[in-house]
Amino acid sequence: MARTNAAPAADIMPRFIRASAAPAYLGMCREEFKNTVRPHVREFPIGKQGVAFDRHELDQWADAYIERMAIEKQTDQDNNPPRSEQKARA
């Protein structure tokens, strides 16, 4: 008998991210991942040939990267000025 309280597999975020999927998880190309991220996170084998990264460690790297590289914006700055006078009057 199947357990009714078990979460469907699609709703579970995997803890291990395979090397082929890790760049997409962080929203970057493979080359950028290889040069920018991979030297700073641990990797480990999965099976005979697979390599994976810990999702939590990738998240920690991303948080630290954002802290270092984010460009702070002024809160009172109007970043979206009207494109025409007609829209400004509306």
Side-chain angles (χ1 to χ4, degrees):
M1 181 194 279
R3 291 180 13 192
T4 58
N5 61 350
D11 293 343
I12 298 173
M13 188 72 148
R15 174 74 185 262
F16 302 152
I17 308 286
R18 290 193 174 266
S20 60
Y25 177 75
L26 292 175
M28 59 180 62
C29 69
R30 293 177 73 181
E31 191 66 21
E32 186 66 27
F33 180 86
K34 183 182 89 171
N35 295 329
T36 307
V37 181
R38 198 167 188 161
H40 304 285
V41 295
R42 294 176 295 175
E43 58 187 70
F44 50 90
I46 292 186
K48 292 182 181 180
Q49 295 181 337
V51 174
F53 300 94
D54 182 338
R55 178 174 48 88
H56 294 178
E57 197 168 330
L58 291 173
D59 290 343
Q60 289 172 351
W61 179 90
D63 291 341
Y65 182 82
I66 291 167
E67 261 324 290
R68 275 192 328 272
M69 303 301 284
I71 300 168
E72 296 299 326
K73 306 282 183 164
Q74 293 178 354
T75 57
D76 60 349
Q77 180 180 355
D78 185 8
N79 289 331
N80 298 312
R83 294 189 179 176
S84 71
E85 288 298 316
Q86 184 177 15
K87 288 182 181 179
R89 287 185 243 150

